[in-house]
Amino acid sequence: MAAENNNNGDAIENIENSGYSNNFFQTLRELRRTEQFCDFSLKVGDETIHVHKVVLSIASPYFAAMFQHDTKEKAESTIKLECEATGLKAIIEYIYSGKTALTEENIFSVCSISDYLQIEWVKNQCQQFIKRNLKHTNCFQVRKFADQPSFKELRDHIHNYILKEFHKLINEEGFLQLSFEEIRELIKDDQLCVKFEDNAYKAAINWIKHNLNGRNVHLIELMSHVRFAFVRTEFLRDHIVNESALKNNLQCNQYLVQALTYQITPAIKRSLFWSQAKAIPINRTEKFNVLLAGGMDLKSRACTTTCRVYDVTDSKIFALPNMNTNRWGHSLISLKGGLYSAGGNNGAALRTAECYSSSNKKWNNITSMTNARYNFGICTYNNFIYVVGGYQNSTVEKYDPATGNWYNCPNTPVEYIYCSRAASVENSIYSLGRGSDGVTSCTRFDPREGQWCKFNEKPTGLHPQERFELVSYGPSLFCVTEDSARLDLRINKWDSMPSTLCKRTNYSAVIIANDIYIFGGELEKLVNCSEYVRSVERYNIHDNEWTSVDLMNIEFTRGATVTLNNDFDFN
């Protein structure tokens, strides 16, 4: 309360009842609940909702205009609305209280009604809710809802999401139910992010074969938008040329002939061969590089600092400056343009860590971890780097590049005996490894709550001294080992995967688009005698099969790998 005087010297006090607004809203809600002074009704289906004209007029320009003119609804004091009752009740709750609940069940209804009644704040909140909860499983349904002029910005946002995530959507039921016009719009879009052109072909052929008799008429046009020249050679050879739907079509055969001719043409002449090669959008043929760092020399049994980059697209290898410290059993991660190498072993477990920056082209030592570790898991979440477990280790730490410091986190509920791995999926970090009890456990950590819980046990457990790899794709974890398996986190169920083509140990793996690549490793021939494995294998998640794609002319085992971002500067 503030006291003051006016020009005549009279006292003036400005008073305010801080609870008045809440009491006012509470009284309004009570008046509506008891139907006191209600002078208008909303009919939806078999239900009637009694309300007050003045309250509706304040909240909704639609009703304000209705009551300012001589309308039929004003005269009859009622209106029949064609909408869902649950959505309308949520809107009325907002009008009488200033708040309401949005759920995945009512969001479309509330959004549509708020748009119709011109309640812009609720409409905007609904659109933000939809954006925050956009997923692979609902994006096509949401885009269909937003395909109307009043939701253009929302529709554009969803369309861009689909373009960006397209390589992960080609087997979703919502994708297979698209109309021809909708899939054609996507396939021909230069901004379509397929990572590899293989996925554009897979999308088109999957859609056609989902209803072959009804959709075969669209085969030629859809295939005309696939850049066959840029499909990977082994996929073209092993899959596309044997597809009966294409072999039996003269025009599609011509596409394949052009593609094969292009791929056997020397690279220096390709740009003159086919017009598609002159302005190929980068999203259709992204460049992927993998850093292979450290490891062990099998002859001397010494660990190394060597760093090499493998060009996945062109199957080439080039050097990167070596690390400062010899390491095997360490882990690599990429975050915000920096490459981080931590831990490992060089005769003893290491606490040290270092970072390679593309700006100064060298590795720089950073703050050491609190705990020494090797054969451990590493992942990123919310711009932090998490290191999890390792050989006879259950400790967890996170590194903040902004402060340059490590921070201790709660230990895992499993005391790992030899090797553990980690991967982040949505808002959780998952760790997998064999514990001292002999059980291969998958545990889950929620960084927001700071708690670990046991999530699952892998039916075919790891061997006592087995190094393995763990990668995530969508809502699944993939354990790459002698008995590889996939864990669907949505239903908490493991399914077996095909075995790798070469039985190897101490290899490294990364995820690129919808493929898992494994590099290096060794064949155990005799006791204390091993042989390097040079083959690069690729597992396609959608096709559920392994393919041998290259032979590296380098020796690499017990090291670490990480996929480098397209914008990483090597020059």
Side-chain angles (χ1 to χ4, degrees):
M1 180 175 65
E4 56 185 67
N5 295 311
N6 63 12
N7 293 334
N8 297 323
D10 298 329
I12 301 174
E13 292 184 359
N14 296 313
I15 62 173
E16 180 181 355
N17 183 345
S18 59
Y20 182 80
S21 295
N22 289 335
N23 293 335
F24 186 82
F25 274 123
Q26 185 176 349
T27 301
L28 277 181
R29 291 197 298 275
E30 184 63 19
L31 289 175
R32 187 179 72 81
R33 188 186 69 80
T34 58
E35 299 182 12
Q36 293 185 61
F37 308 120
C38 290
D39 52 3
F40 197 74
S41 63
L42 310 172
K43 294 185 178 180
V44 52
D46 297 329
E47 297 189 53
T48 299
I49 302 173
H50 297 279
V51 290
H52 304 87
K53 289 181 182 179
V54 65
V55 177
L56 297 187
S57 298
I58 293 171
S60 165
Y62 172 86
F63 283 117
M66 176 186 294
F67 299 144
Q68 287 173 3
H69 299 86
D70 295 328
T71 61
K72 174 185 175 183
E73 292 81 5
K74 177 182 177 181
E76 296 178 353
S77 294
T78 187
I79 184 174
K80 183 174 179 61
L81 296 171
E82 300 296 332
C83 62
E84 294 182 10
T86 54
L88 183 60
K89 288 177 180 178
I91 290 291
I92 296 303
E93 177 65 23
Y94 166 75
I95 289 176
Y96 276 81
S97 68
K99 55 187 178 181
T100 193
L102 300 178
T103 68
E104 293 192 21
E105 288 71 33
N106 73 10
I107 188 61
F108 291 161
S109 176
V110 175
C111 195
S112 293
I113 296 170
S114 61
D115 176 54
Y116 184 75
L117 300 181
Q118 301 171 22
I119 306 177
E120 289 300 315
W121 188 86
V122 175
K123 176 184 174 181
N124 290 336
Q125 293 301 308
C126 287
Q127 292 183 94
Q128 295 304 315
F129 178 92
I130 289 172
K131 291 177 182 178
R132 287 193 298 270
N133 292 278
L134 201 56
K135 296 176 285 193
H136 296 163
T137 53
N138 68 9
C139 58
F140 292 107
Q141 176 192 11
V142 176
R143 190 178 78 152
K144 185 176 182 180
F145 163 78
D147 195 12
Q148 46 189 309
S150 57
F151 292 109
K152 182 181 183 304
E153 189 274 335
L154 177 62
R155 201 265 186 192
D156 290 343
H157 176 88
I158 299 165
H159 182 69
N160 289 333
Y161 172 88
I162 292 172
L163 291 177
K164 181 180 178 182
E165 298 291 309
F166 187 79
H167 64 288
K168 299 179 181 178
L169 302 173
I170 58 180
N171 286 324
E172 292 289 342
E173 183 64 25
F175 170 78
L176 297 174
Q177 297 300 330
L178 292 177
S179 68
F180 167 66
E181 290 74 20
E182 289 172 323
I183 188 174
R184 180 180 59 184
E185 177 190 8
L186 291 171
I187 293 291
K188 67 189 295 187
D189 197 316
D190 285 346
Q191 298 305 312
L192 187 69
C193 183
V194 294
K195 303 297 184 180
F196 295 105
E197 192 67 16
D198 310 21
N199 289 322
Y201 165 79
K202 288 180 185 179
I205 201 67
N206 286 355
W207 184 86
I208 291 287
K209 294 172 79 170
H210 189 69
N211 178 11
L212 185 59
N213 291 335
R215 296 176 176 179
N216 197 49
V217 65
H218 302 301
L219 178 66
I220 294 175
E221 181 166 1
L222 278 187
M223 291 302 159
S224 71
H225 297 302
V226 177
R227 279 76 162 179
F228 282 102
F230 302 97
V231 171
R232 288 176 289 186
T233 303
E234 66 277 1
F235 184 79
L236 180 66
R237 178 194 65 221
D238 298 339
H239 294 275
I240 299 180
V241 297
N242 295 318
E243 174 55 57
S244 57
L246 303 185
K247 290 168 65 176
N248 298 329
N249 186 288
L250 186 61
Q251 181 59 57
C252 290
N253 258 287
Q254 188 61 33
Y255 296 151
L256 298 184
V257 171
Q258 290 177 328
L260 289 168
T261 306
Y262 176 86
Q263 295 210 2
I264 63 174
T265 299
I268 194 171
K269 298 181 180 179
R270 285 180 177 177
S271 61
L272 303 175
F273 172 75
W274 197 4
S275 61
Q276 282 192 10
K278 293 180 180 178
I280 186 71
I282 190 172
N283 286 348
R284 304 293 288 246
T285 55
E286 289 193 41
K287 291 284 187 180
F288 293 98
N289 294 288
V290 177
L291 172 64
L292 297 86
M296 178 180 287
D297 184 301
L298 291 180
K299 293 180 181 179
S300 66
R301 313 303 289 183
C303 48
T304 73
T305 62
T306 305
C307 292
R308 286 157 294 195
V309 175
Y310 177 77
D311 183 333
V312 175
T313 308
D314 297 327
S315 300
K316 297 179 180 178
I317 294 176
F318 53 94
L320 199 72
N322 289 349
M323 296 183 294
N324 295 327
T325 303
N326 296 307
R327 307 173 189 271
W328 72 266
H330 60 298
S331 290
L332 288 171
I333 200 75
S334 174
L335 179 63
K336 289 189 171 181
L339 298 176
Y340 295 84
S341 174
N345 190 312
N346 65 358
L350 297 169
R351 296 173 50 241
T352 58
E354 49 192 296
C355 174
Y356 178 85
S357 172
S358 58
S359 60
N360 59 23
K361 304 296 185 296
K362 67 176 184 178
W363 292 90
N364 298 293
N365 293 330
I366 60 174
T367 307
S368 294
M369 298 179 290
T370 303
N371 300 282
R373 66 184 79 234
Y374 67 100
N375 290 346
F376 62 96
I378 193 168
C379 63
T380 62
Y381 173 80
N382 199 24
N383 294 324
F384 290 99
I385 296 172
Y386 285 80
V387 293
V388 182
Y391 177 80
Q392 297 184 359
N393 201 325
S394 62
T395 64
V396 182
E397 301 175 52
K398 69 177 181 181
Y399 178 75
D400 183 357
T403 65
N405 293 321
W406 290 92
Y407 303 92
N408 291 327
C409 300
N411 289 3
T412 66
V414 177
E415 180 71 37
Y416 298 114
I417 60 169
Y418 189 74
C419 179
S420 67
R421 297 299 186 209
S424 59
V425 179
E426 294 184 347
N427 290 314
S428 297
I429 293 172
Y430 294 86
S431 179
L432 184 71
R434 180 185 172 105
S436 55
D437 57 0
V439 177
T440 299
S441 299
C442 179
T443 55
R444 175 182 173 273
F445 179 68
D446 188 333
R448 300 166 300 180
E449 299 175 355
Q451 293 183 340
W452 285 94
C453 65
K454 285 199 173 183
F455 186 76
N456 193 295
E457 294 180 4
K458 187 174 181 289
T460 53
L462 297 163
H463 300 308
Q465 292 189 348
E466 183 176 9
R467 295 181 79 237
F468 67 100
E469 294 291 348
L470 184 72
V471 298
S472 64
Y473 178 84
S476 296
L477 298 176
F478 294 81
C479 176
V480 184
T481 182
E482 184 176 325
D483 295 306
S484 296
R486 167 181 180 167
L487 174 60
D488 189 329
L489 299 172
R490 295 169 297 188
I491 58 176
N492 199 7
K493 181 177 180 293
W494 286 97
D495 290 309
S496 61
M497 291 167 52
S499 299
T500 57
L501 303 179
C502 174
K503 191 174 181 179
R504 65 180 88 191
T505 62
N506 296 320
Y507 49 82
S508 297
V510 297
I511 185 88
I512 299 177
N514 49 9
D515 296 320
I516 299 171
Y517 282 78
I518 58 173
F519 301 90
E522 57 202 81
L523 295 173
E524 292 187 359
K525 300 175 69 177
L526 298 170
V527 177
N528 296 324
C529 179
S530 299
E531 178 182 314
Y532 289 107
V533 177
R534 299 177 184 274
S535 64
V536 178
E537 293 185 42
R538 182 180 73 219
Y539 172 79
N540 184 268
I541 291 170
H542 297 317
D543 297 336
N544 191 33
E545 67 179 7
W546 288 97
T547 306
S548 181
V549 295
D550 193 21
L551 287 174
M552 299 190 302
N553 61 349
I554 60 172
E555 299 170 340
F556 178 72
T557 186
R558 308 190 193 194
T561 55
V562 64
T563 304
L564 304 180
N565 296 331
N566 286 329
D567 57 356
F568 193 87
D569 183 13
F570 298 103
N571 301 315

